[in-house]
């Protein structure tokens, strides 16, 4: 038990969620390592949402709300970290979820799908009725016919670089969350939210509520049209640079 006043409280609480996910058979052992890579970048960013990450989240939300056939791709990490936020976002927007795993097993897919349904996600696709994406060597080439395969906009947080590239090549709008602003995923996606996934999901839910209340298609289209992902990524490099600069002068 760690006190809420402990400086690493939130980071430790997220680790606990992942360890519990691992014990339930939801998160893979590789997923635990991937989380560590994310944590290192979060430390450099100051473990808070930057202005540019908030802007990217807003734009991702605009893409999801204006899509013809959007889908949210989840894996063992995202489901262990923020199941309530995923469920709330899906309830508000009516967007379906596809369980899509890098380390794929029917057992884990079924566990994750059951867990999501128990958390309140009604439309869960399992990808068990799948087709293979061209140009992806791993098991992640398999996507659901009704889900990612048919989608025009795919939200794929914590995605692998190869598949982000393959999805972009197929002409899909790729929205991602990745704390590593220099990963291939970050560089090839249409919109990269450089933020911790649970923080990003909370903000995404907030924007979805706000935009639905505003009901302005013009505003959503303007957000999409004026966004530049490489400029937004540069702001993340600058944020890390500034933080290290401050520390180096102390
Ligand atoms: P790529 O294949 O895109 O070049 P990679 O091999 O580092 O990058 P993967 O291991 O395939 O990426 O995916 C994990 C990515 O998710 C890492 O870049 C990591 O920084 C990021 N990540 C892990 N946990 C979180 C989290 N909680 N929030 C946001 N990003 C995270
Ligand atoms: Mg990778």
């Amino acid at each position: 038990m760690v006190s809420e006043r402990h400086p690493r409280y939130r980071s430790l609480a997220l680790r606990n969620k992942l360890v519990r996910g691992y014990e339930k058979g939801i998160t893979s052992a590789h997923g635990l390592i991937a989380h560590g890579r994310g944590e290192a970048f979060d430390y450099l960013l100051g473990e808070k949402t930057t202005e540019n990450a908030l802007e990217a989240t807003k734009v991702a939300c605009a893409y999801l709300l204006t899509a013809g056939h959007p889908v949210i791709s989840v894996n063992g990490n995202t489901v262990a970290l923020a199941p309530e936020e995923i469920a709330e976002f899906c309830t508000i927007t009516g967007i379906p979820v596809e369980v899509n795993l890098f380390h794929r097993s029917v057992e884990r897919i079924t566990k994750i799908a059951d867990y999501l349904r128990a958390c309140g996600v009604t439309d869960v696709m399992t990808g068990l009725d799948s087709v293979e994406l061209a140009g992806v060597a791993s098991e992640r080439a398999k996507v659901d016919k009704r889900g990612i395969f048919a989608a025009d906009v795919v939200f794929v947080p914590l995605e692998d670089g190869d598949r982000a590239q393959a999805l972009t090549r197929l002409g899909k709008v790729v929205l991602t969350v990745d704390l590593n602003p220099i990963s291939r995923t970050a560089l090839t996606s249409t919109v990269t939210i450089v933020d911790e996934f649970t923080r990003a999901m909370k903000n995404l839910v907030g924007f979805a509520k706000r935009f639905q209340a505003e009901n302005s298609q013009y505003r959503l289209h303007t957000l999409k049209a004026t966004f530049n992902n490489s400029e937004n990524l540069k702001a993340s490099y600058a944020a890390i640079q500034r933080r290290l600069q401050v520390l180096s002068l102390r």
Side-chain angles (χ1 to χ4, degrees):
M1 280 294 130
V2 183
S3 153
E4 287 191 27
R5 290 202 304 275
H6 188 286
R8 308 236 52 73
Y9 173 77
R10 278 182 21 207
S11 162
L12 293 170
L14 288 186
R15 281 191 183 181
N16 280 339
K17 284 189 177 183
L18 280 178
V19 170
R20 262 183 257 123
Y22 178 73
E23 287 162 355
K24 282 190 209 143
I26 285 175
T27 308
S28 74
H30 301 83
L32 301 179
I33 298 168
H35 184 76
R37 180 175 289 164
E39 279 182 336
F41 283 99
D42 206 17
Y43 219 124
L44 292 174
L45 286 159
E47 295 175 302
K48 57 180 190 296
T49 303
T50 60
E51 274 305 310
N52 64 292
L54 201 62
E55 183 62 23
T57 310
K58 208 186 273 182
V59 174
C61 191
Y63 268 110
L64 286 165
L65 295 182
T66 53
H69 193 2
V71 66
I72 303 172
S73 174
V74 298
N75 63 20
N77 283 46
T78 53
V79 169
L81 287 171
E84 290 90 6
E85 289 83 356
I86 293 170
E88 189 177 8
F89 187 74
C90 293
T91 305
I92 297 170
T93 61
I95 298 176
V97 164
E98 171 172 342
V99 181
N100 198 287
L101 309 180
F102 191 89
H103 299 281
R104 199 171 196 270
S105 81
V106 174
E107 193 194 351
R108 209 154 64 84
I109 291 173
T110 311
K111 274 190 183 157
I112 292 175
D114 290 346
Y115 184 65
L116 282 170
R117 289 190 191 104
C119 291
V121 183
T122 46
D123 197 351
V124 183
M125 289 178 274
T126 57
L128 294 175
D129 181 19
S130 66
V131 276
E132 300 213 356
L133 293 177
V136 183
S138 73
E139 279 283 86
R140 271 206 130 179
K142 294 202 174 106
V143 294
D144 197 292
K145 271 187 199 160
R146 284 195 307 122
I148 293 176
F149 184 71
D152 56 345
V153 175
V154 285
F155 180 40
V156 280
L158 280 53
E159 177 61 310
D160 167 68
D162 290 336
R163 222 176 52 139
Q165 282 170 340
L167 294 172
T168 312
R169 268 201 304 273
L170 285 172
K172 297 180 193 297
V173 168
V174 178
L175 316 170
T176 197
V177 178
D178 193 337
L179 277 161
N180 176 359
I182 54 174
S183 73
R184 288 170 310 147
T185 304
L187 297 173
T188 51
S189 296
T190 317
V191 180
T192 306
I193 301 168
V194 182
D195 200 4
E196 198 286 311
F197 179 66
T198 54
R199 293 198 304 263
M201 271 318 291
K202 285 191 172 81
N203 290 329
L204 199 62
V205 167
F207 285 128
K209 286 179 181 164
R210 202 212 281 179
F211 291 154
Q212 286 190 338
E214 280 176 14
N215 195 22
S216 164
Q217 289 294 309
Y218 174 76
R219 171 145 157 82
L220 299 180
H221 286 292
T222 309
L223 276 169
K224 293 194 293 183
T226 53
F227 182 77
N228 180 325
N229 203 46
S230 61
E231 289 303 318
N232 195 277
L233 285 171
K234 283 182 199 169
S236 293
Y237 308 144
I240 292 176
Q241 205 171 21
R242 267 197 309 277
R243 196 166 137 78
L244 293 178
Q245 181 79 15
V246 168
L247 291 171
S248 70
L249 294 173
R250 239 189 351 216

